[in-house]
Amino acid sequence: MKEKVVLAYSGGLDTTAIIPWLKENFGYEVICCCIDCGQGEELDGLDERAKMSGASKLYIENIIDDFCDNYIMPCVKAGAVYENKYLLGTSMARPAIAKKLVEIARKEGAVAICHGATGKGNDQIRFELGIKALAPDIKIIAPWRMTDVWTMQSREDEIEYCKAHGIHLPFSADSSYSRDRNLWHISHEGLELEDPANEPNYKHLLVLGVTPEEAPDQGEYVTMTFEKGIPTSVNGEKMKVSEVIAKLNELGGKHGIGIVDIVENRVVGMKSRGVYETPGGTILMEAHQQLEELILDRATMEVKKDMANKFAQIVYEGKWYTPLREAIQAFIESTQQYVTGEVKFKLYKGNITKAGTTSPYSLYSESLASFTTGDLYDHHDADGFITLFGLPLKVRAMKLAEVKNNQK
């Protein structure tokens, strides 16, 4: 009986070419596994393509709700953003995918898991760290790093390889963007984006929405509710998290929200340039933050900001299945106990403008914040506070003046 390998299968040219390559070079029975994180029509026709290419079986596993509830929402609650711009769309999905690949490998009794990530990218790290953490006994095959066996270097090479094995595919050798899509976002790399001096060709590039210039001239108000940091409704309609994100994608895409052009620092050390579309995620992150402003005290917010940066780095580097991620997430969860309320905002040509926020747990006191004197605040108390708060500055200045006088 042939040994089995589970292939993380997207249906694209790379992973399709890997099927006959695995059979030819290793004699494996290839079981394809496509993980549905909300990539939509990209899943059409995959079963026929996988079987035609030599796979014995194809799993299409829908993990959209798991992805939203257990990977996206911890990052939203944390406010995790990598290098101030990237909302971690690909990064969050990889540990969820790795977990499902391991599950299918166990079910099938596979000895190996194969992925099509390149040797220059972040995904190889994210997939493999996840697999190592969950199944240290399963072998990992990364064709793009096996240059002595994997000799294909271009789309043309892959197409010719498939043809030589009797596989005729609906792919062309024409260059196109390298994309990754799920419910949270779509990323674009390649073509003109490879040179940071070039402006993105947005008319050719965008998939989930339009540019702000092409958005409607009329703004649109949106109201959301949250319970313990989790979104529960949009415009009065109760929804689960995946439905909230889908609805916000629709609204955000319409109004040109969430288009980011970034040069980021990859884990492997190089800089890369990409454009990310995250319309619904940008709205959700902003709405959540808008509510937190009312509820979290100053000291907690300060520490949470530091934890957000650390959490983003952990997720970006593929270290989801680590004690550190669990510990930081436990802290984040404790901050969300009272993040409950309603957020209203207006979407207009790429902007999200506040239109009112309420919460039963709001720490905002109108009597304290107003210029009139309330019962809780006596202006005279500020004298003693400033004296003590500024004491180190005053002592230092006095000491410097004393030293200067002694030097005369």
Side-chain angles (χ1 to χ4, degrees):
M1 181 180 291
K2 292 182 178 180
E3 291 185 324
K4 296 179 180 179
V5 59
V6 169
L7 170 63
Y9 187 63
S10 68
L13 180 56
D14 288 346
T15 52
T16 299
I18 287 174
I19 297 172
W21 179 85
L22 284 169
K23 296 177 69 176
E24 181 178 44
N25 289 281
F26 299 98
Y28 283 128
E29 177 186 346
V30 181
I31 297 164
C32 288
C33 187
C34 178
I35 314 299
D36 182 5
C37 296
Q39 50 267 49
E41 66 274 7
E42 292 182 9
L43 303 179
D44 296 344
L46 288 197
D47 187 66
E48 181 182 354
R49 188 178 305 162
K51 300 286 181 59
M52 176 182 65
S53 303
S56 64
K57 189 182 297 186
L58 171 69
Y59 286 88
I60 296 181
E61 298 289 307
N62 185 326
I63 63 166
I64 294 174
D65 286 328
D66 177 49
F67 175 44
C68 291
D69 297 340
N70 299 314
Y71 298 87
I72 289 177
M73 282 314 303
C75 292
V76 172
K77 291 176 182 178
V81 181
Y82 183 70
E83 295 188 341
N84 300 314
K85 287 186 177 181
Y86 175 40
L87 300 187
L88 300 169
T90 299
S91 310
M92 295 184 296
R94 295 321 189 213
I97 292 171
K99 184 179 180 182
K100 182 57 68 172
L101 290 172
V102 167
E103 181 182 313
I104 298 301
R106 294 294 192 210
K107 179 180 178 180
E108 288 287 342
V111 299
I113 293 174
C114 179
H115 65 79
T118 73
K120 285 186 175 182
N122 295 316
D123 280 344
Q124 57 181 339
I125 299 167
R126 297 165 182 155
F127 282 135
E128 295 186 32
L129 263 58
I131 295 167
K132 289 176 186 294
L134 299 173
D137 57 306
I138 291 181
K139 182 180 178 181
I140 299 171
I141 300 175
W144 280 96
R145 300 202 305 261
M146 302 170 67
T147 53
D148 55 331
V149 187
W150 179 268
T151 57
M152 292 171 275
Q153 298 297 315
S154 66
R155 291 178 65 85
E156 290 86 353
D157 290 346
E158 291 175 320
I159 290 171
E160 287 304 315
Y161 180 82
C162 288
K163 285 182 179 178
H165 288 76
I167 304 166
H168 298 279
L169 300 168
F171 300 120
S172 72
D174 297 338
S175 295
S176 61
Y177 295 106
S178 174
R179 290 181 164 120
D180 177 74
R181 182 176 181 177
N182 56 46
L183 185 65
W184 185 251
H185 87 156
I186 185 168
S187 63
H188 312 267
E189 294 179 341
L191 297 186
E192 79 276 3
L193 302 180
E194 292 188 350
D195 185 350
N198 293 332
E199 180 181 5
N201 182 0
Y202 286 119
K203 287 187 177 180
H204 180 222
L205 181 149
L206 296 178
V207 173
L208 300 182
V210 299
T211 61
E213 292 89 345
E214 295 177 327
D217 292 330
Q218 186 69 35
E220 183 171 0
Y221 285 95
V222 180
T223 301
M224 294 181 63
T225 58
F226 288 80
E227 292 180 12
K228 294 187 176 182
I230 299 172
T232 53
S233 73
V234 178
N235 292 333
E237 184 179 350
K238 290 284 186 181
M239 298 179 182
K240 59 183 180 179
V241 174
S242 60
E243 293 169 337
V244 168
I245 295 171
K247 180 62 177 178
L248 294 180
N249 275 336
E250 175 190 331
L251 294 168
K254 173 183 174 182
H255 291 280
I257 306 295
I259 302 169
V260 169
D261 181 354
I262 181 176
V263 175
E264 68 194 66
N265 291 292
R266 286 183 179 175
V267 182
V268 293
M270 70 181 72
K271 289 184 180 291
S272 66
R273 193 265 190 104
V275 170
Y276 297 99
E277 294 180 72
T278 321
T282 300
I283 296 171
L284 179 53
M285 294 284 277
E286 176 64 26
H288 181 268
Q289 183 180 351
Q290 190 171 322
L291 186 59
E292 273 193 339
E293 289 177 0
L294 286 183
I295 295 159
L296 298 187
D297 63 277
R298 176 181 171 184
T300 301
M301 285 194 74
E302 285 180 353
V303 175
K304 185 173 182 290
K305 186 176 180 180
D306 292 337
M307 292 297 100
N309 288 331
K310 190 62 181 176
F311 201 80
Q313 182 182 353
I314 289 169
V315 176
Y316 187 84
E317 293 180 351
K319 298 176 181 177
W320 186 272
Y321 299 109
T322 61
L324 180 56
R325 191 274 305 170
E326 294 174 357
I328 294 178
Q329 188 172 329
F331 164 76
I332 297 299
E333 286 295 333
S334 72
T335 69
Q336 300 300 294
Q337 183 178 359
Y338 301 110
V339 182
T340 296
E342 182 178 280
V343 180
K344 186 178 180 181
F345 46 88
K346 182 169 73 172
L347 306 178
Y348 179 68
K349 290 190 175 296
N351 295 296
I352 306 169
T353 307
K354 287 183 180 181
T357 313
T358 60
S359 170
Y361 303 107
S362 173
L363 299 182
Y364 183 91
S365 169
E366 187 174 348
S367 63
L368 279 173
S370 69
F371 287 100
T372 57
T373 302
D375 295 335
L376 291 177
Y377 197 93
D378 187 331
H379 288 275
H380 296 96
D381 292 341
D383 287 335
F385 170 76
I386 295 171
T387 296
L388 295 178
F389 197 63
L391 187 60
L393 297 174
K394 184 174 182 179
V395 169
R396 181 175 182 275
M398 291 171 63
K399 176 57 66 175
L400 291 176
E402 178 185 330
V403 171
K404 188 175 181 179
N405 287 334
N406 291 337
Q407 290 174 344
K408 289 180 179 180

